[in-house]
mmCIF file of all heavy atoms in Angstrom:
data_model
loop_
_atom_site.group_PDB
_atom_site.id
_atom_site.type_symbol
_atom_site.label_atom_id
_atom_site.label_comp_id
_atom_site.label_asym_id
_atom_site.label_seq_id
_atom_site.Cartn_x
_atom_site.Cartn_y
_atom_site.Cartn_z
ATOM 1 N N PHE B 169 -22.827 18.970 11.944
ATOM 2 C CA PHE B 169 -22.535 17.807 11.086
ATOM 3 C C PHE B 169 -21.033 17.715 10.832
ATOM 4 O O PHE B 169 -20.461 16.621 10.808
ATOM 5 C CB PHE B 169 -23.312 17.931 9.764
ATOM 6 C CG PHE B 169 -23.314 16.672 8.932
ATOM 7 C CD1 PHE B 169 -23.747 15.465 9.462
ATOM 8 C CD2 PHE B 169 -22.894 16.693 7.607
ATOM 9 C CE1 PHE B 169 -23.752 14.298 8.700
ATOM 10 C CE2 PHE B 169 -22.901 15.532 6.825
ATOM 11 C CZ PHE B 169 -23.331 14.341 7.386
ATOM 12 N N THR B 170 -20.403 18.867 10.662
ATOM 13 C CA THR B 170 -18.952 18.876 10.433
ATOM 14 C C THR B 170 -18.220 18.373 11.665
ATOM 15 O O THR B 170 -17.325 17.520 11.566
ATOM 16 C CB THR B 170 -18.468 20.300 10.110
ATOM 17 O OG1 THR B 170 -19.272 20.840 9.061
ATOM 18 C CG2 THR B 170 -17.015 20.290 9.675
ATOM 19 N N ILE B 171 -18.601 18.874 12.824
ATOM 20 C CA ILE B 171 -17.887 18.482 14.049
ATOM 21 C C ILE B 171 -18.081 16.995 14.330
ATOM 22 O O ILE B 171 -17.130 16.273 14.622
ATOM 23 C CB ILE B 171 -18.356 19.345 15.248
ATOM 24 C CG1 ILE B 171 -17.860 20.788 15.043
ATOM 25 C CG2 ILE B 171 -17.819 18.786 16.561
ATOM 26 C CD1 ILE B 171 -18.386 21.767 16.073
ATOM 27 N N VAL B 172 -19.333 16.548 14.197
ATOM 28 C CA VAL B 172 -19.587 15.121 14.434
ATOM 29 C C VAL B 172 -18.770 14.280 13.454
ATOM 30 O O VAL B 172 -18.129 13.298 13.831
ATOM 31 C CB VAL B 172 -21.094 14.806 14.304
ATOM 32 C CG1 VAL B 172 -21.330 13.299 14.275
ATOM 33 C CG2 VAL B 172 -21.864 15.444 15.453
ATOM 34 N N SER B 173 -18.761 14.690 12.197
ATOM 35 C CA SER B 173 -18.018 13.932 11.200
ATOM 36 C C SER B 173 -16.526 13.947 11.489
ATOM 37 O O SER B 173 -15.824 12.951 11.308
ATOM 38 C CB SER B 173 -18.262 14.505 9.801
ATOM 39 O OG SER B 173 -19.612 14.338 9.452
ATOM 40 N N HIS B 174 -16.061 15.078 11.954
ATOM 41 C CA HIS B 174 -14.646 15.182 12.313
ATOM 42 C C HIS B 174 -14.313 14.209 13.436
ATOM 43 O O HIS B 174 -13.299 13.503 13.385
ATOM 44 C CB HIS B 174 -14.356 16.627 12.750
ATOM 45 C CG HIS B 174 -12.919 16.881 13.044
ATOM 46 N ND1 HIS B 174 -11.957 16.934 12.055
ATOM 47 C CD2 HIS B 174 -12.272 17.087 14.215
ATOM 48 C CE1 HIS B 174 -10.775 17.157 12.616
ATOM 49 N NE2 HIS B 174 -10.939 17.260 13.917
ATOM 50 N N ILE B 175 -15.201 14.151 14.425
ATOM 51 C CA ILE B 175 -14.969 13.231 15.548
ATOM 52 C C ILE B 175 -15.053 11.780 15.073
ATOM 53 O O ILE B 175 -14.230 10.943 15.434
ATOM 54 C CB ILE B 175 -15.984 13.511 16.686
ATOM 55 C CG1 ILE B 175 -15.642 14.861 17.328
ATOM 56 C CG2 ILE B 175 -15.953 12.404 17.732
ATOM 57 C CD1 ILE B 175 -16.680 15.372 18.295
ATOM 58 N N VAL B 176 -16.022 11.515 14.222
ATOM 59 C CA VAL B 176 -16.154 10.142 13.693
ATOM 60 C C VAL B 176 -14.853 9.728 13.010
ATOM 61 O O VAL B 176 -14.310 8.650 13.245
ATOM 62 C CB VAL B 176 -17.337 10.045 12.696
ATOM 63 C CG1 VAL B 176 -17.255 8.760 11.889
ATOM 64 C CG2 VAL B 176 -18.659 10.121 13.442
ATOM 65 N N LEU B 177 -14.323 10.590 12.173
ATOM 66 C CA LEU B 177 -13.105 10.251 11.438
ATOM 67 C C LEU B 177 -11.916 10.077 12.362
ATOM 68 O O LEU B 177 -11.132 9.153 12.212
ATOM 69 C CB LEU B 177 -12.776 11.340 10.422
ATOM 70 C CG LEU B 177 -13.469 11.282 9.075
ATOM 71 C CD1 LEU B 177 -12.821 12.269 8.130
ATOM 72 C CD2 LEU B 177 -13.424 9.880 8.476
ATOM 73 N N LYS B 178 -11.780 10.976 13.308
ATOM 74 C CA LYS B 178 -10.561 10.984 14.101
ATOM 75 C C LYS B 178 -10.595 10.060 15.297
ATOM 76 O O LYS B 178 -9.576 9.526 15.699
ATOM 77 C CB LYS B 178 -10.273 12.413 14.605
ATOM 78 C CG LYS B 178 -9.363 13.179 13.681
ATOM 79 C CD LYS B 178 -8.896 14.449 14.346
ATOM 80 C CE LYS B 178 -7.424 14.380 14.640
ATOM 81 N NZ LYS B 178 -6.838 15.685 14.908
ATOM 82 N N TYR B 179 -11.764 9.881 15.881
ATOM 83 C CA TYR B 179 -11.792 9.221 17.175
ATOM 84 C C TYR B 179 -12.689 7.999 17.265
ATOM 85 O O TYR B 179 -13.018 7.575 18.355
ATOM 86 C CB TYR B 179 -12.187 10.226 18.270
ATOM 87 C CG TYR B 179 -11.233 11.376 18.386
ATOM 88 C CD1 TYR B 179 -11.560 12.632 17.884
ATOM 89 C CD2 TYR B 179 -9.983 11.201 18.980
ATOM 90 C CE1 TYR B 179 -10.664 13.686 17.971
ATOM 91 C CE2 TYR B 179 -9.089 12.248 19.073
ATOM 92 C CZ TYR B 179 -9.439 13.493 18.571
ATOM 93 O OH TYR B 179 -8.535 14.521 18.667
ATOM 94 N N THR B 180 -13.134 7.470 16.140
ATOM 95 C CA THR B 180 -13.936 6.254 16.260
ATOM 96 C C THR B 180 -13.329 5.141 15.418
ATOM 97 O O THR B 180 -12.513 5.386 14.544
ATOM 98 C CB THR B 180 -15.390 6.459 15.799
ATOM 99 O OG1 THR B 180 -15.390 6.674 14.385
ATOM 100 C CG2 THR B 180 -16.053 7.629 16.493
ATOM 101 N N LYS B 181 -13.774 3.940 15.716
ATOM 102 C CA LYS B 181 -13.310 2.785 14.942
ATOM 103 C C LYS B 181 -13.698 2.964 13.476
ATOM 104 O O LYS B 181 -12.900 2.730 12.570
ATOM 105 C CB LYS B 181 -13.947 1.497 15.485
ATOM 106 C CG LYS B 181 -13.342 1.027 16.777
ATOM 107 C CD LYS B 181 -13.554 -0.467 16.986
ATOM 108 C CE LYS B 181 -15.019 -0.792 17.224
ATOM 109 N NZ LYS B 181 -15.241 -2.229 17.418
ATOM 110 N N LEU B 182 -14.964 3.388 13.288
ATOM 111 C CA LEU B 182 -15.446 3.565 11.920
ATOM 112 C C LEU B 182 -14.514 4.485 11.132
ATOM 113 O O LEU B 182 -14.110 4.169 10.011
ATOM 114 C CB LEU B 182 -16.868 4.142 11.948
ATOM 115 C CG LEU B 182 -17.472 4.458 10.574
ATOM 116 C CD1 LEU B 182 -17.698 3.178 9.787
ATOM 117 C CD2 LEU B 182 -18.782 5.234 10.709
ATOM 118 N N GLY B 183 -14.151 5.615 11.741
ATOM 119 C CA GLY B 183 -13.283 6.571 11.063
ATOM 120 C C GLY B 183 -11.926 5.967 10.731
ATOM 121 O O GLY B 183 -11.404 6.120 9.622
ATOM 122 N N THR B 184 -11.360 5.253 11.701
ATOM 123 C CA THR B 184 -10.062 4.615 11.456
ATOM 124 C C THR B 184 -10.167 3.637 10.296
ATOM 125 O O THR B 184 -9.301 3.583 9.426
ATOM 126 C CB THR B 184 -9.623 3.864 12.729
ATOM 127 O OG1 THR B 184 -9.734 4.740 13.837
ATOM 128 C CG2 THR B 184 -8.184 3.391 12.606
ATOM 129 N N TYR B 185 -11.251 2.858 10.291
ATOM 130 C CA TYR B 185 -11.425 1.874 9.220
ATOM 131 C C TYR B 185 -11.609 2.566 7.862
ATOM 132 O O TYR B 185 -11.154 2.069 6.839
ATOM 133 C CB TYR B 185 -12.626 0.964 9.506
ATOM 134 C CG TYR B 185 -12.453 0.079 10.723
ATOM 135 C CD1 TYR B 185 -13.542 -0.534 11.324
ATOM 136 C CD2 TYR B 185 -11.182 -0.156 11.274
ATOM 137 C CE1 TYR B 185 -13.391 -1.355 12.437
ATOM 138 C CE2 TYR B 185 -11.019 -0.967 12.385
ATOM 139 C CZ TYR B 185 -12.131 -1.568 12.966
ATOM 140 O OH TYR B 185 -11.984 -2.362 14.057
ATOM 141 N N ILE B 186 -12.314 3.717 7.871
ATOM 142 C CA ILE B 186 -12.522 4.445 6.617
ATOM 143 C C ILE B 186 -11.171 4.866 6.042
ATOM 144 O O ILE B 186 -10.885 4.654 4.862
ATOM 145 C CB ILE B 186 -13.440 5.667 6.852
ATOM 146 C CG1 ILE B 186 -14.894 5.193 7.011
ATOM 147 C CG2 ILE B 186 -13.342 6.663 5.698
ATOM 148 C CD1 ILE B 186 -15.877 6.296 7.386
ATOM 149 N N PHE B 187 -10.321 5.403 6.881
ATOM 150 C CA PHE B 187 -8.979 5.765 6.420
ATOM 151 C C PHE B 187 -8.207 4.523 5.978
ATOM 152 O O PHE B 187 -7.506 4.537 4.958
ATOM 153 C CB PHE B 187 -8.202 6.465 7.537
ATOM 154 C CG PHE B 187 -8.452 7.937 7.608
ATOM 155 C CD1 PHE B 187 -9.143 8.488 8.662
ATOM 156 C CD2 PHE B 187 -8.004 8.769 6.602
ATOM 157 C CE1 PHE B 187 -9.386 9.849 8.726
ATOM 158 C CE2 PHE B 187 -8.234 10.134 6.655
ATOM 159 C CZ PHE B 187 -8.933 10.673 7.721
ATOM 160 N N ALA B 188 -8.337 3.469 6.761
ATOM 161 C CA ALA B 188 -7.574 2.256 6.463
ATOM 162 C C ALA B 188 -7.962 1.689 5.103
ATOM 163 O O ALA B 188 -7.103 1.328 4.289
ATOM 164 C CB ALA B 188 -7.812 1.217 7.559
ATOM 165 N N ILE B 189 -9.270 1.649 4.835
ATOM 166 C CA ILE B 189 -9.733 1.100 3.556
ATOM 167 C C ILE B 189 -9.209 1.942 2.398
ATOM 168 O O ILE B 189 -8.757 1.413 1.386
ATOM 169 C CB ILE B 189 -11.275 1.037 3.529
ATOM 170 C CG1 ILE B 189 -11.764 -0.042 4.489
ATOM 171 C CG2 ILE B 189 -11.792 0.767 2.118
ATOM 172 C CD1 ILE B 189 -13.253 -0.033 4.719
ATOM 173 N N GLY B 190 -9.251 3.257 2.581
ATOM 174 C CA GLY B 190 -8.746 4.124 1.524
ATOM 175 C C GLY B 190 -7.256 3.952 1.299
ATOM 176 O O GLY B 190 -6.751 4.125 0.200
ATOM 177 N N GLY B 191 -6.537 3.616 2.362
ATOM 178 C CA GLY B 191 -5.098 3.430 2.231
ATOM 179 C C GLY B 191 -4.763 2.123 1.553
ATOM 180 O O GLY B 191 -3.921 2.064 0.669
ATOM 181 N N ASN B 192 -5.428 1.060 1.952
ATOM 182 C CA ASN B 192 -5.133 -0.253 1.387
ATOM 183 C C ASN B 192 -6.203 -1.234 1.834
ATOM 184 O O ASN B 192 -6.185 -1.732 2.946
ATOM 185 C CB ASN B 192 -3.752 -0.716 1.860
ATOM 186 C CG ASN B 192 -3.345 -2.044 1.258
ATOM 187 O OD1 ASN B 192 -4.190 -2.827 0.834
ATOM 188 N ND2 ASN B 192 -2.060 -2.283 1.219
ATOM 189 N N GLU B 193 -7.113 -1.507 0.938
ATOM 190 C CA GLU B 193 -8.268 -2.322 1.300
ATOM 191 C C GLU B 193 -7.874 -3.744 1.680
ATOM 192 O O GLU B 193 -8.377 -4.309 2.650
ATOM 193 C CB GLU B 193 -9.252 -2.340 0.124
ATOM 194 C CG GLU B 193 -10.576 -2.932 0.509
ATOM 195 C CD GLU B 193 -11.622 -2.770 -0.580
ATOM 196 O OE1 GLU B 193 -11.574 -1.768 -1.301
ATOM 197 O OE2 GLU B 193 -12.467 -3.668 -0.689
ATOM 198 N N GLU B 194 -6.951 -4.299 0.900
ATOM 199 C CA GLU B 194 -6.548 -5.692 1.144
ATOM 200 C C GLU B 194 -5.912 -5.842 2.529
ATOM 201 O O GLU B 194 -6.267 -6.743 3.287
ATOM 202 C CB GLU B 194 -5.559 -6.113 0.041
ATOM 203 C CG GLU B 194 -4.888 -7.446 0.239
ATOM 204 C CD GLU B 194 -5.769 -8.630 -0.115
ATOM 205 O OE1 GLU B 194 -6.936 -8.373 -0.499
ATOM 206 O OE2 GLU B 194 -5.324 -9.767 0.011
ATOM 207 N N ALA B 195 -4.985 -4.934 2.842
ATOM 208 C CA ALA B 195 -4.312 -5.020 4.140
ATOM 209 C C ALA B 195 -5.320 -4.813 5.270
ATOM 210 O O ALA B 195 -5.210 -5.427 6.330
ATOM 211 C CB ALA B 195 -3.201 -3.976 4.232
ATOM 212 N N THR B 196 -6.308 -3.957 5.025
ATOM 213 C CA THR B 196 -7.315 -3.706 6.048
ATOM 214 C C THR B 196 -8.149 -4.949 6.300
ATOM 215 O O THR B 196 -8.413 -5.347 7.423
ATOM 216 C CB THR B 196 -8.233 -2.546 5.604
ATOM 217 O OG1 THR B 196 -7.423 -1.438 5.252
ATOM 218 C CG2 THR B 196 -9.184 -2.154 6.703
ATOM 219 N N LYS B 197 -8.544 -5.586 5.197
ATOM 220 C CA LYS B 197 -9.345 -6.804 5.314
ATOM 221 C C LYS B 197 -8.564 -7.864 6.077
ATOM 222 O O LYS B 197 -9.087 -8.517 6.967
ATOM 223 C CB LYS B 197 -9.693 -7.309 3.903
ATOM 224 C CG LYS B 197 -10.825 -8.302 3.875
ATOM 225 C CD LYS B 197 -11.171 -8.702 2.455
ATOM 226 C CE LYS B 197 -12.248 -7.831 1.867
ATOM 227 N NZ LYS B 197 -12.525 -8.147 0.452
#
Side-chain angles (χ1 to χ4, degrees):
Chain B
F169 192 55
T170 309
I171 291 174
V172 169
S173 295
H174 184 71
I175 290 170
V176 165
L177 276 191
K178 267 191 112 163
Y179 300 104
T180 68
K181 285 204 292 180
L182 177 67
T184 310
Y185 294 163
I186 285 174
F187 274 111
I189 290 170
N192 183 337
E193 191 171 328
E194 172 78 359
T196 307
K197 197 177 268 176

